[in-house]
């Protein structure tokens, strides 16, 4: 049975957001839903297997060793949070799973500070169980290691830094673990860390991450679309005081983001993360934004993280070199390059209930229109409100 062996086997930004939610929005609630972008057909009995694995998550708890590691590596987080996390348990009652034929439905509902941790583990379990149940055989461990080493040999020549962002759609925990082990042992300084907190602890490497789209999606539900980016960043800065300073830019398109990324925030945040749309266009828009405010782009960074492979990384690196700082977060091209089709799935917040508010649909307006998520009528209304043309 596919399972997680640690409560820290999750993306770091889930914990950083949870900490901020506990501090600022402890009474807020959220709903999430699975989206099968790749139209994958799930075998009979899949829902039962997934339910069994999710039930097992309720037994996970933060160990003493994990608590010490987490607290020592994140001094900007209060000790009370680590005590809270030590008492946190996944509640499977928050997750509803159904299967009709080959179609899978997964819905999550509960207090946001609790449900925020579900997305990444459920997605990784869906992937692992899918490969198990369909009987698709991956390449051997030696070949996985060879593939990673070959990629790193090429990346080393670009004189760049890269991190692993591949937890959500990895082939399996075993493959992910093997990939990080190989990256750690590779003789260069190109690899700088992983988004997976458990593997960062296991291999004594840096945990990478700040916040995700849902942070801004909730702010839109609470404050409206025109204030979502501004107040999302202001609240983040109030919690972290300049630490974890990479801002996600494309929840409501980059154009809308830069309109609210004012001089104070632009100076405070270390850089931005690119997650959709044309990377070169984004890089130039970002450079222009810094220059327009009298800020040297080389003092800031862009973290590129949108479906990267070597060719994309090389192209982006060649363009950005000497113009702006840059680094790369590589996902499934590391953790699911095992000779099998990769899964194209997401699990997104669909509604939010701010304190003293009401259930409100939430959406994402990606720089890539095909990656818009949420209710179609809400999407059209938001585009009109923000003056966005696809």
């Amino acid at each position: 049975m596919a399972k997680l062996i640690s409560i820290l086997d999750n993306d770091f930004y889930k914990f950083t957001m949870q900490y901020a939610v506990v501090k600022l929005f402890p009474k807020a609630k959220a709903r999430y839903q699975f989206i099968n972008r790749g139209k994958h057909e799930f075998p009979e009995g899949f829902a039962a297997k997934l339910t069994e694995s999710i039930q097992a998550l309720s037994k996970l708890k933060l160990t003493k060793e994990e608590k010490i590691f987490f607290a020592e590596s994140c001094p900007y987080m209060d000790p009370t949070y680590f005590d809270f996390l030590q008492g946190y348990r996944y509640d499977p009652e928050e997750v509803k799973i159904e299967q009709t034929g080959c179609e899978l439905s997964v819905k999550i509902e509960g207090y946001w500070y609790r449900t925020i941790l579900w997305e990444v583990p459920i997605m990784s379990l869906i992937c692992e169980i899918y490969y198990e149940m369909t009987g698709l055989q991956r390449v051997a461990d030696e070949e996985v290691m060879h593939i990673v080493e070959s990629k790193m040999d090429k990346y080393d020549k670009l004189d760049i830094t890269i991190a692993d962002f591949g937890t959500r759609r990895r082939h399996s925990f075993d493959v992910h673990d093997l990939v990080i082990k190989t990256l750690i042992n590779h003789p260069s300084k190109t690899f700088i860390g992983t988004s997976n907190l458990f593997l960062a602890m296991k291999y004594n490497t840096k945990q990478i991450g700040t916040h995700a789209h849902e942070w801004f999606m909730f702010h839109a539900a609470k404050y409206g679309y025109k204030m979502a980016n501004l107040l999302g960043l202001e609240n983040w800065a109030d919690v972290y005081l300049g630490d974890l300073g990479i801002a996600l830019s494309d929840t409501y398109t980059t154009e809308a983001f830069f309109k609210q990324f004012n001089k104070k925030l632009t100076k405070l945040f270390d850089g931005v993360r690119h997650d959709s749309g044309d990377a070169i266009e984004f890089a130039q828009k970002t450079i222009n934004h810094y220059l327009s405010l009298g800020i040297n782009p080389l003092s800031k960074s862009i973290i590129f993280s949108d479906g990267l492979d070597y060719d994309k990384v090389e192209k982006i690196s060649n363009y950005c070199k000497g113009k702006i700082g840059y680094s790369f977060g590589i996902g499934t091209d590391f953790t699911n390059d095992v000779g099998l089709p990769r899964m194209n799935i997401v699990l997104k917040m669909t509604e939010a209930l701010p304190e003293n508010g009401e259930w409100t649909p939430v959406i994402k307006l990606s720089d890539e229109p095909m990656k818009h998520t949420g209710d179609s009528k809400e999407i059209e209304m938001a585009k009109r409100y923000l003056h966005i043309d696809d």
Side-chain angles (χ1 to χ4, degrees), residues 99-163:
Q99 184 172 358
T100 304
C102 60
E103 295 184 0
L104 180 69
S105 170
V106 181
K107 297 180 179 180
I108 303 164
E109 180 179 332
Y111 282 107
W112 189 25
Y113 77 86
R114 292 191 47 79
T115 56
I116 200 167
L117 291 190
W118 276 116
E119 175 193 352
V120 176
I122 289 179
M123 286 184 63
S124 62
L125 286 171
I126 287 173
C127 290
E128 187 159 353
I129 295 169
Y130 177 82
Y131 291 118
E132 287 179 357
M133 292 190 69
T134 53
L136 299 171
Q137 296 297 311
R138 68 173 175 88
V139 298
D141 286 359
E142 293 76 12
E143 180 63 17
V144 172
M145 296 169 66
H146 174 71
I147 291 170
V148 174
E149 285 285 1
S150 297
K151 289 176 180 177
M152 290 302 295
D153 286 341
K154 295 172 69 176
Y155 285 132
D156 289 344
K157 296 176 183 178
L158 297 179
D159 190 26
I160 59 174
T161 56
I162 60 174

Side-chain angles (χ1 to χ4, degrees), residues 1-7 34 45-61 88-98 104-109 114-115 117-129 347:
M1 180 181 74
K3 62 180 181 179
L4 273 65
I5 63 173
S6 168
I7 200 168
F34 171 70
F46 188 93
K49 288 281 189 182
L50 179 59
T51 298
E52 185 181 2
S53 294
I54 286 175
Q55 290 286 343
L57 294 185
S58 65
K59 299 177 182 178
L60 294 177
K61 59 183 179 180
Y88 177 92
R89 299 292 183 275
Y90 283 110
D91 181 2
E93 293 296 317
E94 295 167 345
V95 185
K96 305 300 180 187
I97 302 169
E98 296 179 352
L104 180 69
S105 170
V106 181
K107 297 180 179 180
I108 303 164
E109 180 179 332
R114 292 191 47 79
T115 56
L117 291 190
W118 276 116
E119 175 193 352
V120 176
I122 289 179
M123 286 184 63
S124 62
L125 286 171
I126 287 173
C127 290
E128 187 159 353
I129 295 169
L347 206 164

Side-chain angles (χ1 to χ4, degrees), residues 279-280 306-317 328:
I280 302 302
D306 180 28
L308 298 176
D309 56 22
Y310 176 79
D311 290 339
K312 291 181 181 178
V313 170
E314 182 185 33
K315 181 180 178 182
I316 295 167
S317 176
F328 301 89

